Amino acid sequence: MTERGEPRQRKIHWEWVAAGVVLLAILSVVAFAVFQPIKVLPRIRLAPGFILTDQDGQRLTNEDLRGKIALYNFSYANCGAQCEPLNATLRTVQDQLAQATGEGVPVELVTISFDPERDTPEALQAYAQAAGADPSRWRFATGDPARMKNIIGGGFEAYYEPDDRGGFKFSPAFALVDGWGIIRAEYRNEVPTPERILKHIEVIQEEARNSKGVAKMGYEAAHLFLCYAQ
Amino acid sequence: MKRPPSWFWVVAAIVGALLFVVVGFFLLRPYQYHGLLLESPKPAADFTLVGAGGKEVKLSDYRGKLVVLYYGYTFCPDVCPTTLAEVTKAVQALGKKAEDVQVIMVTVDPERDTPERMAEYMAYFNPSFVGLSGTPDQIAEAATPFGIYYQKHEGTPASGYLVDHTATVNVLDREGRMRLVWPFGTEGDAMAADLKQMLK
């Protein structure tokens, strides 16, 4: 109080207010980057374009899978025991997806054979049955022999090479592609657990569901700050 | 006049600061692309095709410019001219900066689209646009890594056969890295805004 009984007016230090606001803004950005409230999967690169023929003799192209999430892997019908763990993983993913009731982007599994000479639709049909594939969710396909290296090796960057015993040398490779045809996760030189794949599918589903309006800004920030799901 | 009480100033300062943060956030927030931004900075697969006058053209020849890469064909009745009209609008909106952008259309119909026909067709949209053709094998190699599917199918006797194809537009940065995908239907204004951002 002043001598005259009037309240003394406090001077507002605007420079401190401005510094506080800037600090708050920096802290919010750092907090977003550290706590990562939104998780996403990176948009890695474009999945290749292709025309294949599936186990029913039906055409399967990358455009047919636009608007769906597609989980790809690469093997061949005469693969034998080497491919069993790959197929077991896909079978579990397939079965878990069948049990999920939530609405979302449809998911399809696609095994592309790098042995088009021998893998006729009939051979792929038998392979699909042996793998326990549900034809409505999991398709087996191959295409023009001259194009397969470009699609599998070039586009999906999965290694395979004929060996001298009539089979193939290859590294296990899986790719998860979103509805825009963009690769969002790759699992190479290892067989991923079905839980990890299912978690990644859910992350893509969530982004497709929620990344709209103001929330889209949050998702784009998550891409910018590399808030990637493990 | 009665002075406002001191708590008034405290509340006013807090509201002011919050407003400042909100407005500041909207002004300074990172640019949001209309297309889908790829996060991997790997160089795109190079290709060699044939341009006007039979000249061999590589995708990597355009390093240093943004490349707007589209796949279509000159007999295309609807999708291609619509998309190219939007791309043309976007390039016009860039003004002088358009010099740093190269629009390329690769044919998905090499049987009918000779390099000359491609050049003529593209010049109709903008004289700086480049049209490329090649052998069926060259086209396939140039299309696959960019997620492009294409297949011939029957049309009418008037149109001849048609070619189904992926209708997205891809954008490569100055270092030749695949960076942005515009889904079919992206408007010219949106494309121009994205290109301006990439040119910064």
Side-chain angles (χ1 to χ4, degrees):
Chain A
M1 296 288 272
T2 61
E3 279 174 16
R4 283 189 292 171
E6 281 179 12
R8 186 167 52 202
Q9 198 180 345
R10 285 233 178 108
K11 197 180 168 214
I12 299 169
H13 291 275
W14 288 107
E15 63 275 19
W16 286 107
V17 173
V21 168
V22 170
L23 190 70
L24 199 65
I26 293 172
L27 279 177
S28 321
V29 171
V30 172
F32 191 96
V34 171
F35 297 110
Q36 308 196 347
I38 299 173
K39 294 276 189 192
V40 290
L41 287 174
R43 300 189 193 107
I44 300 173
R45 63 173 190 282
L46 285 170
F50 57 75
I51 304 174
L52 305 174
T53 304
D54 76 3
Q55 76 272 24
D56 296 323
Q58 299 292 315
R59 189 190 74 158
L60 174 66
T61 75
N62 57 311
E63 281 302 311
D64 299 332
L65 297 166
R66 188 170 288 272
K68 298 174 180 176
I69 296 171
L71 174 64
Y72 293 90
N73 94 314
F74 313 93
S75 71
Y76 65 114
N78 289 319
C79 178
Q82 202 187 348
C83 287
E84 272 169 22
L86 315 184
N87 294 338
T89 297
L90 287 171
R91 195 169 50 245
T92 309
V93 171
Q94 164 193 269
D95 296 346
Q96 294 284 329
L97 288 172
Q99 283 171 18
T101 50
E103 283 180 22
V105 182
V107 185
E108 283 207 19
L109 278 53
V110 181
T111 293
I112 301 183
S113 161
F114 38 70
D115 190 8
E117 312 279 1
R118 287 184 293 180
D119 284 349
T120 58
E122 294 73 35
L124 290 175
Q125 182 79 257
Y127 186 37
Q129 279 171 9
D134 165 1
S136 68
R137 282 186 189 276
W138 184 2
R139 294 165 80 177
F140 288 67
T142 192
D144 180 351
R147 298 267 162 267
M148 297 317 287
K149 197 76 195 178
N150 207 4
I151 296 165
I152 301 173
F156 286 107
E157 297 184 2
Y159 163 79
Y160 72 94
E161 203 179 347
D163 65 18
D164 45 17
R165 287 167 293 152
F168 288 87
K169 286 190 280 185
F170 69 99
S171 301
F174 294 73
L176 195 55
V177 175
D178 70 11
W180 297 105
I182 296 171
I183 298 178
R184 304 297 295 271
E186 293 177 297
Y187 317 90
R188 244 191 267 281
N189 307 317
E190 51 153 356
V191 181
T193 62
E195 292 74 29
R196 187 152 171 248
I197 295 175
L198 288 162
K199 186 182 152 195
H200 286 171
I201 290 173
E202 185 48 36
V203 170
I204 300 177
Q205 296 271 27
E206 262 181 30
E207 186 175 353
R209 230 181 351 248
N210 302 331
S211 182
K212 291 167 192 147
V214 180
K216 191 174 178 198
M217 254 191 276
Y219 275 92
E220 289 308 314
H223 280 281
L224 190 72
F225 292 120
L226 319 178
C227 305
Y228 298 149
Q230 291 305 304
Chain B
M1 209 171 85
K2 207 178 158 192
R3 274 174 192 278
S6 58
W7 58 262
F8 172 85
W9 295 108
V10 174
V11 172
I14 292 171
V15 170
L18 284 176
L19 263 176
F20 189 86
V21 169
V22 171
V23 172
F25 176 75
F26 273 92
L27 290 178
L28 299 173
R29 72 187 191 281
Y31 177 78
Q32 241 187 71
Y33 283 91
H34 296 86
L36 299 150
L37 190 71
L38 302 185
E39 282 140 60
S40 168
K42 273 171 63 178
D46 200 7
F47 58 66
T48 305
L49 292 171
V50 185
K55 203 180 116 196
E56 205 172 75
V57 177
K58 283 187 170 159
L59 178 60
S60 56
D61 293 344
Y62 297 100
R63 292 263 164 96
K65 287 186 177 196
L66 298 187
V67 173
V68 175
L69 185 60
Y70 182 63
Y71 292 75
Y73 65 115
T74 63
F75 288 85
C76 179
D78 38 29
V79 171
C80 315
T82 312
T83 305
L84 284 172
E86 294 300 323
V87 172
T88 306
K89 218 193 284 177
V91 169
Q92 274 168 357
L94 292 177
K96 188 101 176 87
K97 287 183 180 169
E99 287 172 8
D100 290 332
V101 176
Q102 181 61 58
V103 176
I104 299 175
M105 179 166 102
V106 174
T107 183
V108 289
D109 182 15
E111 230 175 274
R112 291 183 293 189
D113 285 342
T114 59
E116 274 59 45
R117 192 180 162 87
M118 286 297 289
E120 208 177 293
Y121 181 76
M122 293 302 277
Y124 167 77
F125 290 96
N126 185 312
S128 78
F129 289 6
V130 166
L132 300 176
S133 187
T135 64
D137 276 348
Q138 282 178 313
I139 300 292
E141 288 210 3
T144 303
F146 293 96
I148 306 296
Y149 141 86
Y150 59 97
Q151 195 173 35
K152 257 164 80 166
H153 73 96
E154 290 238 340
T156 60
S159 70
Y161 66 83
L162 297 171
V163 184
D164 273 344
H165 63 94
T166 302
T168 50
V169 181
N170 298 323
V171 186
L172 283 75
D173 67 16
R174 290 178 193 268
E175 283 78 41
R177 299 177 299 206
M178 180 57 224
R179 287 316 295 268
L180 196 64
V181 183
W182 287 322
F184 173 66
T186 304
E187 292 187 353
D189 295 342
M191 292 177 178
D194 284 358
L195 290 173
K196 276 182 193 160
Q197 178 65 24
M198 286 181 80
L199 283 168
K200 272 184 189 166

